[in-house]
Amino acid sequence: GDQLSDQGCGALAADMGALSCDHCEYTSDASAEAMGRKGTVAVLLAGSNFYINEVKKPPVEKFREFGVPIALGSNSNPGSSPCGSLLLNMSMACTLFKLSPEEALLGVTRNAAKAIGMQETHGTIEVGKVADLCAWDIWGEDHGSLRMLSHQFGINPLFKCFYRGQERKI
């Protein structure tokens, strides 16, 4: 992707029929428009931006304008993003990139599945789809509010986890 400079990777990914393009910090308007036309998912990696102290932010407004689906990834690795926390990445995407809590949740569910070509079987809760999901107990004055998932960090409100429809021990 266009992590350190605009190399036209978003447009190239779209033109080549790629499902997604990661590291979109320097993605140009033209690339965002091409991605929107082709349905190429922009994968934003807030943990990387935070850890390397990157000041350039992905063009989220342009992605919205051109209808580019936004997914979130951890890019978890010891060199530039030692964070594997789904909720922390959601929180950072809201704080650093100004995603709404709804956009962040879509970014780790429906749009994440689309980014890897699994949207027909994963990413939403629907009859016939694989039931890989987490259930969180969100609390506070906004009890039950989606905002609480991305608002509170350092706390894991997970109370149930399902893999292929079977509850797993947590």
Side-chain angles (χ1 to χ4, degrees), residues 41-44 64 67-73 86-87 89-91 93-94 99-116 119 122-126 129 136 146-147 149-150:
V41 178
V43 180
L44 308 186
R64 289 175 180 141
V68 177
I70 298 172
L72 301 178
L86 178 79
L87 295 178
N89 276 287
M90 288 173 65
S91 179
C94 291
L99 262 60
S100 69
E102 293 81 8
E103 288 172 319
L105 185 60
L106 287 171
V108 299
T109 56
R110 184 179 71 196
N111 293 342
K114 182 175 172 51
I116 59 173
Q119 69 272 19
H122 293 75
T124 57
I125 301 171
E126 297 179 59
K129 286 195 172 184
W136 289 290
L146 177 58
R147 183 179 72 82
L149 276 180
S150 54

Side-chain angles (χ1 to χ4, degrees), residues 142-163:
D142 289 334
H143 183 75
S145 170
L146 177 58
R147 183 179 72 82
M148 296 308 288
L149 276 180
S150 54
H151 177 69
Q152 295 182 328
F153 56 89
I155 298 169
N156 187 355
L158 181 69
F159 78 95
K160 288 191 179 191
C161 179
F162 297 87
Y163 176 70

Side-chain angles (χ1 to χ4, degrees), residues 1-13 21-28 30-31:
D2 297 312
Q3 181 179 15
L4 303 175
S5 65
D6 177 19
Q7 298 293 312
C9 292
L12 178 63
C21 183
D22 296 4
H23 289 292
C24 299
E25 291 84 347
Y26 288 85
T27 299
S28 67
S31 282

Side-chain angles (χ1 to χ4, degrees), residues 6 9 14 20 23 33 39 44 47-48 52 55 62 65 69 71 73 95-96 103 122 126 130 132 142 152 156:
D6 177 19
C9 292
S20 65
H23 289 292
E33 185 175 9
L44 308 186
S48 291
I52 67 171
V55 295
K62 289 297 178 181
E65 178 183 336
T95 302
L96 299 174
E103 288 172 319
H122 293 75
E126 297 179 59
V130 177
D132 292 344
D142 289 334
Q152 295 182 328
N156 187 355

